[in-house]
Amino acid sequence: MKDKELKKLIKAEEKRQSEMLDLIPSENIISKGVSEALGSVLANKYSEGYPGKRYYAGNEFADKIENLAKSRAKKVFGLSSNWEVNVQPYSGSPANIAVYLALIPPGGKIMGMSLDMGGHLTHGHKASAVGKLWKQIPYGVDKKTETLNYAEITKIAKKEKPQLIVAGFTAYSKIIDFKKFKAIADSIGAIFMVDMSHFAGLVAGKVYPSPFKYANIIMTTTHKTLRGPRGAMIFSKKEFSEKIDKAIFPGMQGGPHMNQIAATATALYEAGKPEFKSYAKQIVKNAKALADELKKLGWRVISGGTDTHLILIDVFSRGIGGKLASEMLEKAGIVVNKNTIPYDTRNPGDPSGIRLGTPTLTSRGMKEKEMKKIAMLIDGVLTKKRKLEIINKEVKLLCLKFPVRK
Ligand code: DSN
């Protein structure tokens, strides 16, 4: 690279990633193959349209690559021929908006988990275009158990009669009962959509129930537990797929990012290998080990634990705000999210919780032993029981032992 200024910044980011412990549950490390595809000549190509129906010439190989990504996506999730997939969405938010644009008239009702309970902006929040174009019918979790209360969700759905119900979250760590959601949606004639962005890799690795038996539409980002490039896919039953394709292009997007689609294809190739199952299994084992150890050290884990890659901790129960906790941890070399907890009494800028996750650490090869150590390091930082410089050294040593790229 001739651009020395940028090269220096990229190197600095590489160093930051390699010397810090990344516990952000929505991040991961792409493989060399994914990286190669992203930086390939596919970045040069315009391919507006779909395979076989492009608005640009020269798409012989782009067509093959997009079809390869689609067939691998269906294979990885074991789909029958009544499912279609669109691999063109630039990322998760436009993908969700495209689904609504395709299926719900403006002003219609979309029922989704509220952001402060663990949902996502695009599940209906007023700050998102979704909240401006459609009406959100929010649901949350039970105050006592901090888990989904299906009786309450049923009550809201029957009263509000939304046209679409979304299940899938950014800060909820338990298994979702897709069968119950489907029954609720069916009882009011609503479309049932799952946003599996966070746990798609766990579904692919068969350590989380598959929503495909129940949902009409399934959206996922490709870069979280699935370990692909930044991007998204929309799976839909055949009766919806034409509308969804049209909502993506020409409705929402222009030319698909063919390098991103090629990278998705190779990530799906990797996710289809037997080793990916052990990887997904290890992500969950690691999260459980980390949550258990933090509990032993006196930290309140929201909903009592985790079934996934994600853990939500109520740090304010021990007097520390989420913002301060994440800043203290970052100084020690541990990167987490500040996050609201259910029924938070504080604000999103400085909430009561922190959100942790294990995909990146697992991609680096860490196991339960390291999770116990990391729980101790987190506890040491937050309680100030141990000196910051010592913790920092221990973080660096751990990072050296488990490099980002082998
Ligand atoms: N921003 C993602 C996350 O961190 O969970 C969701 O889009």
Side-chain angles (χ1 to χ4, degrees):
M1 186 189 281
K2 284 191 183 142
D3 181 348
K4 290 209 175 78
E5 198 180 351
L6 181 69
K7 192 172 177 177
K8 212 168 124 193
L9 288 170
I10 294 175
K11 279 271 162 218
E13 172 62 10
E14 212 172 288
K15 187 167 182 294
R16 186 196 70 79
Q17 288 189 20
S18 68
E19 290 181 355
M20 291 180 103
L21 295 170
D22 178 8
L23 279 93
I24 293 181
S26 46
E27 293 181 359
N28 209 331
I29 302 166
I30 52 170
S31 68
K32 280 188 185 150
V34 171
S35 184
E36 255 174 56
L38 278 175
S40 72
V41 292
L42 268 307
N44 303 339
K45 189 69 200 112
Y46 246 117
S47 312
E48 271 180 15
Y50 289 101
K53 289 170 281 180
R54 305 282 190 188
Y55 289 86
Y56 287 71
N59 274 300
E60 181 188 351
F61 302 109
D63 277 8
K64 286 188 175 148
I65 288 167
E66 187 165 339
N67 282 332
L68 186 64
K70 283 158 80 95
S71 64
R72 283 182 180 167
K74 289 195 221 168
K75 193 164 169 219
V76 160
F77 293 103
L79 305 188
S80 59
S81 59
N82 61 344
W83 282 93
E84 282 301 336
V85 60
N86 187 308
V87 294
Q88 294 195 1
Y90 298 149
S91 209
S93 295
N96 278 343
I97 295 173
V99 173
Y100 309 146
L101 276 176
L103 307 175
I104 312 297
K109 290 182 178 177
I110 291 167
M111 182 163 161
M113 186 183 252
S114 55
L115 184 65
D116 57 354
M117 289 275 180
H120 187 257
L121 280 165
T122 58
H123 296 172
H125 195 274
K126 61 180 187 313
S128 151
V130 179
K132 299 187 202 312
L133 291 170
W134 295 277
K135 181 171 164 42
Q136 187 198 30
I137 307 301
Y139 64 90
V141 292
D142 184 80
K143 200 163 187 178
K144 202 159 153 225
T145 62
E146 296 172 320
T147 58
L148 292 165
N149 177 339
Y150 296 94
E152 184 58 26
I153 294 169
T154 307
K155 221 161 93 189
I156 302 171
K158 294 219 165 174
K159 180 168 174 260
E160 296 286 350
K161 303 221 170 9
Q163 282 119 307
L164 183 144
I165 300 180
V166 194
F169 319 101
T170 64
Y172 183 74
S173 60
K174 292 297 176 71
I175 281 171
I176 301 167
D177 191 332
F178 298 118
K179 191 176 176 187
K180 282 195 180 149
F181 262 111
K182 172 69 172 154
I184 297 170
D186 281 351
S187 74
I188 54 161
I191 295 167
F192 176 38
M193 168 178 172
V194 173
D195 177 344
M196 66 166 184
S197 297
H198 263 268
F199 51 86
L202 307 183
V203 174
K206 301 205 169 15
V207 289
Y208 195 92
S210 169
F212 284 94
K213 198 170 158 200
Y214 303 105
N216 304 109
I217 314 280
I218 298 180
M219 192 286 298
T220 183
T221 51
T222 41
H223 48 275
K224 297 185 174 92
T225 45
L226 202 53
R227 278 196 84 175
R230 312 292 297 218
M233 303 187 278
I234 304 169
F235 296 91
S236 59
K237 288 274 181 64
K238 276 211 162 127
E239 66 258 41
F240 302 105
S241 59
E242 204 179 311
K243 283 186 179 164
I244 285 177
D245 284 351
K246 281 190 181 146
I248 285 289
F249 175 82
M252 284 266 305
Q253 299 188 171
H257 299 169
M258 284 314 303
N259 57 329
Q260 175 190 333
I261 292 173
T264 299
T266 208
L268 290 164
Y269 160 80
E270 289 163 10
K273 295 199 154 198
E275 340 32 309
F276 195 85
K277 285 198 181 66
S278 337
Y279 165 67
K281 207 169 174 182
Q282 193 61 49
I283 290 181
V284 178
K285 277 196 203 166
N286 283 352
K288 283 184 188 288
L290 184 59
D292 286 349
E293 203 58 25
L294 284 166
K295 269 162 71 174
K296 277 187 205 150
L297 292 164
W299 294 96
R300 193 175 91 76
V301 176
I302 298 298
S303 75
T306 181
D307 298 331
T308 61
H309 62 302
L310 186 152
I311 305 157
L312 203 54
I313 306 283
D314 176 5
V315 279
F316 196 61
S317 62
R318 288 178 69 176
I320 314 165
K323 181 170 183 276
L324 178 64
S326 89
E327 286 166 2
M328 286 165 80
L329 288 165
E330 188 169 0
K331 277 194 192 122
I334 301 170
V335 188
V336 304
N337 291 117
K338 60 181 179 210
N339 214 98
T340 52
I341 60 168
Y343 303 94
D344 211 319
T345 51
R346 294 163 65 85
N347 62 75
D350 187 11
S352 300
I354 55 172
R355 187 183 71 152
L356 317 175
T358 52
T360 302
L361 302 179
T362 311
S363 295
R364 290 176 86 152
M366 294 185 200
K367 297 215 160 103
E368 289 94 320
K369 187 173 151 226
E370 287 74 36
M371 296 306 119
K372 284 190 179 171
K373 171 96 189 158
I374 291 169
M376 212 187 70
L377 294 172
I378 291 173
D379 181 70
V381 174
L382 297 181
T383 57
K384 298 193 189 149
K385 262 194 277 194
R386 300 180 65 219
K387 280 211 172 106
L388 189 64
E389 308 85 79
I390 298 184
I391 295 179
N392 214 284
K393 264 190 202 148
E394 288 181 26
V395 165
K396 284 203 174 127
L397 274 176
L398 200 53
C399 287
L400 263 179
K401 219 169 136 195
F402 295 92
V404 166
R405 285 261 174 89
K406 273 136 213 136

